[in-house]
């Protein structure tokens, strides 16, 4: 006789009697407790329960492994995207931006697929700025759109003659003097407004103005707002009455006939050969 099994049955019957169960209720309680099974069935149930517990452990381990793999895949994809962003084609040559190899470079070839192209010009512009961020380049954008970095000799400037943004270097022949020439030699039109020159350009801009436009040059001057800002604001068709100079170290200006105060050079358009 299995004393332990008899004791378990007695316990279930006693508990059922306390709640005044019928014979059917007592039998149901014994079945729920697994005490109506044969010894073989009970032993098999114990084995099955053990297997179920082990399967749950294996499942937990598999889920943990899957999550770790997913995180690693995400890390690798981020690294892959960062390398693709660095190894991109120069906008003005057939070379890689990162290592200057002939495009496509060995790294891009090894990666096997090109970086996805942004779908709009604005997205491409954002991708370009983010490429600087991804490369840990600290940069700032000046009021005239000039993009420069305090610890780099590379700059992005607007080329008025080419009507494109260009990459320049501190040692390039395209110096402040050349930039001033382009600024002053390019007349204002509605489609091509002049940017405000960088502060460091101002003395050169004034000197270039004076070399290009002597006192008495016919000009159109805007004492208040330029026409693109306010078409109804004052407009003077006049001549210069002074050489250009830098006022207070911050603004390149000139004086014109018919107006008492100086006017910013950004608000003066030369009209060589025109009548005042």
């Amino acid at each position: 006789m299995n004393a332990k099994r008899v004791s378990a049955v007695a316990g279930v019957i006693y508990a059922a009697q306390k709640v005044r169960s019928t014979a059917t209720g007592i039998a149901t309680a014994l079945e729920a407790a697994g005490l109506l099974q044969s010894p073989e069935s009970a032993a098999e149930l114990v084995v099955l329960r053990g297997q179920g517990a082990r399967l749950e452990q294996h499942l937990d381990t598999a889920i943990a492994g899957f999550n770790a793999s997913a995180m690693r895949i995400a890390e690798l994809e981020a690294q892959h995207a960062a390398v693709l962003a660095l190894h991109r084609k120069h906008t003005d040559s057939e070379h890689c931006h990162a290592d200057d190899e002939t495009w496509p470079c060995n790294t891009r070839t090894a990666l096997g697929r090109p970086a996805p192209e942004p779908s709009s010009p604005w997205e491409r512009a954002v991708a370009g700025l983010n490429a600087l961020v991804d490369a840990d380049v600290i940069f700032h954008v000046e009021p005239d759109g000039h993009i420069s970095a305090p610890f780099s000799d590379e700059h992005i400037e607007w080329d008025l003659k080419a009507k494109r943004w260009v990459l320049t270097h501190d040692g390039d022949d395209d110096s402040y003097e050349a930039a001033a020439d382009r600024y002053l030699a390019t007349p204002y039109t509605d489609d091509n407004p002049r940017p405000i020159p960088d502060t460091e350009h101002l003395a050169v801009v004034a000197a270039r103005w004076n070399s290009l436009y002597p006192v008495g040059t016919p000009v159109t001057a805007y004492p208040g707002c330029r026409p693109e800002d306010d078409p109804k604001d004052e407009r003077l068709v006049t001549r210069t009455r002074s050489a250009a100079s830098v006022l207070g170290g911050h603004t390149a200006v000139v004086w014109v006939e018919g107006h008492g105060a100086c006017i910013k050079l950004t608000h003066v358009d030369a009209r060589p050969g025109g009548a005042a």
Side-chain angles (χ1 to χ4, degrees), residues 196-211:
I196 300 173
D198 186 287
T199 301
E200 295 176 275
H201 290 166
L202 291 176
V204 178
V205 167
R208 286 303 200 219
W209 173 278
N210 293 333
S211 66

Side-chain angles (χ1 to χ4, degrees), residues 11 13 40 59-60 85 105 111-112 121 127 139-140 147 154 179 182 192 202 214 217 227 243 258 264 268:
I13 293 174
E40 294 78 13
L59 179 60
D60 291 341
C105 65
L111 290 175
F139 65 93
H140 61 274
I147 301 175
E154 293 183 310
R182 290 198 307 273
N192 186 34
L202 291 176
T217 294
K264 295 185 293 186
V268 178

Side-chain angles (χ1 to χ4, degrees), residues 68 139 144 152 177 210 227 232 241 253 263 276:
F139 65 93
D144 64 348
S152 174
E177 288 79 4
N210 293 333
K232 297 181 180 180
R241 60 184 177 93
V253 300
I263 300 175

Side-chain angles (χ1 to χ4, degrees), residues 83-202:
V83 173
L84 286 177
L86 290 175
H87 289 266
R88 64 190 186 280
K89 181 179 175 295
H90 268 298
T91 57
D92 55 358
S93 73
E94 295 295 323
H95 295 85
C96 174
H97 185 273
D99 51 30
D100 212 32
E101 292 180 1
T102 301
W103 185 258
C105 65
N106 292 331
T107 301
R108 178 53 72 87
T109 301
L111 290 175
R113 67 178 178 87
E117 289 293 332
S119 59
S120 74
W122 285 104
E123 289 177 334
R124 292 196 293 273
V126 170
L129 292 175
N130 283 332
L132 295 176
V133 175
D134 293 338
D136 295 326
V137 175
I138 301 173
F139 65 93
H140 61 274
V141 182
E142 299 178 7
D144 64 348
H146 176 214
I147 301 175
S148 61
F151 306 109
S152 174
D153 66 344
E154 293 183 310
H155 313 271
I156 298 175
E157 297 181 353
W158 177 251
D159 188 319
L160 289 170
K161 184 176 181 180
K163 295 184 178 180
R164 297 185 66 85
W165 292 100
V166 296
L167 179 65
T168 62
H169 300 79
D170 288 343
D172 288 349
D173 292 338
D174 191 7
S175 59
Y176 283 153
E177 288 79 4
D181 280 341
R182 290 198 307 273
Y183 173 82
L184 294 173
T186 303
Y188 167 83
T189 66
D190 289 339
D191 296 328
N192 186 34
R194 288 176 177 170
I196 300 173
D198 186 287
T199 301
E200 295 176 275
H201 290 166
L202 291 176

